[in-house]
Amino acid sequence: MIAYIKDQIGAVIFFYSQIGIVMVIAELGSSLSGGEIGASTYGYMLLIVTFFQIVYHLYRYFRFRDIYRYAASDASETAWLPDTPDQLTTQLKEHYEKQYDYYKQELERFHHEKKQETLFMQQWIHQMKTPLSVMRLTIDKEETHLPPALKQNLDEELDRIKHGLQLALYQSRLQQFERDFHVEKIVLAELVRSIIQEYKSSFIRHRVYPKIDMDPSLTVYSDQKWLGFVLEQVTSNAIKYSQHSNDTILFRTRIENDQIVLAVQDHGIGIAKQDLTRVFDPFFTGENGRHVRESTGMGLYLAKQICDALDHKLLVQSVIQEWTTISVVFNEGR
């Protein structure tokens, strides 16, 4: 009703303005002819036109009532509209339905293409893992015949390819997170040790060393595969930005406000203060990206997206040229 009044208030003002002009002209005419129109006559005139105005607007409001109510309350994605009371709204409804059908077809086409693209990407990544494994086995087999510097370079390049493939694979899987999600009870210390074992050669190659300060009995509820990927990204970054420091990367847990916090701290180049608020933005590499060519800006972005989906928190603290700590906060208790 309020929306209708707002629509019609201009017409009502215009109508009574016309009535006012007519009354002024009638008063002038009666004065010139020597006659007089009494105030009661003007009152009756106003009463009569007001009565018919009310009848007209009540009739019009009830004709358009369904449209006003639909526009005010319905927010669902549907092409349905109430029956239209006149030709103008009928044409608008037909135009709206045509547009809705067109955009619906376009959206379905886009979803189909996106699904095909994602499927192709995942298949391609799995196919690339096979030659990658063959190359790794070949290098390990020929280790004694390869110069140490050449082997180290090959190992680094293979690790970059593997890391890039992992990022692409999880990026494509993240779009279907709800279908690829399984919560289970996880022993944090065991998961961290498996990640460290996975990155064993990288720790040695970059001359940094893991140190674990964790309660072996601490467990959390999460998805092991997705959480493992998050910890891989955090560990990879810690190694990358503290390489050749001959220092340790500390994996530590603590209980804080009845929440379990897993913190990974390195003593590398740190993160500039102005970059701290943007490290979870996609493709953001900041100051460190100008010095470390492996930076893609996608690792922490994906880790944050996954933590949000898992209902965990991912936090970062850092002091430039001193240390960086990335923490995963598990909302579930022990």
Side-chain angles (χ1 to χ4, degrees), residues 126-142 158:
H126 283 297
Q127 288 173 354
M128 289 301 102
K129 282 186 174 181
T130 303
L132 194 64
S133 300
V134 172
M135 291 170 69
R136 170 66 69 190
L137 290 173
T138 304
I139 291 172
D140 290 343
K141 185 179 179 182
E142 299 297 328
L158 286 179

Side-chain angles (χ1 to χ4, degrees), residues 66-82 96:
D66 289 344
I67 292 180
Y68 278 104
R69 286 183 174 178
Y70 172 79
S73 61
D74 196 292
S76 62
E77 293 183 6
T78 173
W80 181 86
L81 282 176
Y96 166 76

Side-chain angles (χ1 to χ4, degrees), residues 196-242:
I196 292 173
Q197 183 64 28
E198 179 76 15
Y199 281 81
K200 180 181 176 181
S201 59
S202 188
F203 274 109
I204 296 171
R205 193 165 59 248
H206 291 94
R207 288 182 284 172
V208 287
Y209 308 97
K211 181 179 179 182
I212 297 178
D213 180 13
M214 300 175 63
D215 181 347
S217 65
L218 282 182
T219 59
V220 295
Y221 287 93
S222 185
D223 182 288
Q224 180 151 338
K225 180 178 65 180
W226 289 102
L227 180 59
F229 175 77
V230 170
L231 295 181
E232 285 180 9
Q233 300 311 305
V234 173
T235 303
S236 173
N237 277 359
I239 295 172
K240 187 165 52 183
Y241 294 118
S242 61

Side-chain angles (χ1 to χ4, degrees), residues 48-316:
I48 291 170
V49 297
T50 300
F51 172 75
F52 284 107
Q53 272 286 298
I54 292 173
V55 171
Y56 167 75
H57 282 294
L58 283 175
Y59 169 74
R60 184 177 173 79
Y61 170 71
F62 282 107
R63 288 196 67 190
F64 285 84
R65 182 177 58 179
D66 289 344
I67 292 180
Y68 278 104
R69 286 183 174 178
Y70 172 79
S73 61
D74 196 292
S76 62
E77 293 183 6
T78 173
W80 181 86
L81 282 176
D83 292 336
T84 51
D86 58 13
Q87 188 59 35
L88 176 62
T89 51
T90 300
Q91 290 180 348
L92 289 174
K93 180 181 178 181
E94 290 174 355
H95 181 67
Y96 166 76
E97 289 174 342
K98 287 179 182 176
Q99 280 193 321
Y100 179 84
D101 289 340
Y102 171 74
Y103 287 121
K104 188 178 178 182
Q105 290 173 7
E106 287 293 300
L107 188 61
E108 289 175 353
R109 185 177 62 82
F110 172 77
H111 280 168
H112 178 72
E113 291 177 356
K114 188 66 180 175
K115 187 177 179 181
Q116 295 296 320
E117 180 184 329
T118 302
L119 183 61
F120 170 76
M121 178 65 75
Q122 291 181 358
Q123 289 178 341
W124 181 81
I125 291 169
H126 283 297
Q127 288 173 354
M128 289 301 102
K129 282 186 174 181
T130 303
L132 194 64
S133 300
V134 172
M135 291 170 69
R136 170 66 69 190
L137 290 173
T138 304
I139 291 172
D140 290 343
K141 185 179 179 182
E142 299 297 328
E143 181 177 2
T144 56
H145 305 292
L146 293 173
L150 175 60
K151 182 179 183 304
Q152 180 172 334
N153 288 338
L154 291 173
D155 286 340
E156 289 178 355
E157 296 304 326
L158 286 179
D159 283 348
R160 288 193 187 105
I161 295 173
K162 180 183 176 183
H163 185 68
L165 290 175
Q166 284 288 87
L167 283 176
L169 181 62
Y170 277 85
Q171 165 67 23
S172 64
R173 284 178 174 172
L174 190 58
Q175 299 170 21
Q176 299 175 330
F177 182 84
E178 294 78 9
R179 300 180 186 176
D180 190 14
F181 172 56
H182 175 64
V183 174
E184 58 187 318
K185 193 174 183 179
I186 300 171
V187 180
L188 263 183
E190 291 182 3
L191 179 60
V192 167
R193 284 195 177 88
S194 69
I195 301 297
I196 292 173
Q197 183 64 28
E198 179 76 15
Y199 281 81
K200 180 181 176 181
S201 59
S202 188
F203 274 109
I204 296 171
R205 193 165 59 248
H206 291 94
R207 288 182 284 172
V208 287
Y209 308 97
K211 181 179 179 182
I212 297 178
D213 180 13
M214 300 175 63
D215 181 347
S217 65
L218 282 182
T219 59
V220 295
Y221 287 93
S222 185
D223 182 288
Q224 180 151 338
K225 180 178 65 180
W226 289 102
L227 180 59
F229 175 77
V230 170
L231 295 181
E232 285 180 9
Q233 300 311 305
V234 173
T235 303
S236 173
N237 277 359
I239 295 172
K240 187 165 52 183
Y241 294 118
S242 61
Q243 55 185 322
H244 310 308
S245 65
N246 287 314
D247 214 325
T248 58
I249 293 175
L250 177 61
F251 296 81
R252 180 176 53 191
T253 52
R254 66 178 187 276
I255 308 297
E256 190 173 285
N257 299 325
D258 203 30
Q259 294 177 316
I260 296 175
V261 180
L262 168 61
V264 181
Q265 184 176 54
D266 67 65
H267 295 85
I269 59 177
I271 302 173
K273 189 176 180 181
Q274 67 271 18
D275 292 345
L276 279 174
T277 57
R278 301 184 61 191
V279 294
F280 297 130
D281 291 348
F283 305 108
F284 179 76
T285 56
E287 286 290 327
N288 291 344
R290 298 171 188 171
H291 307 295
V292 181
R293 69 186 180 99
E294 295 94 337
S295 299
T296 63
M298 287 300 290
L300 285 182
Y301 163 71
L302 286 176
K304 182 70 167 60
Q305 297 293 308
I306 292 168
C307 282
D308 288 345
L310 292 171
D311 200 23
H312 306 327
K313 293 178 184 174
L314 189 65
L315 308 174
V316 59

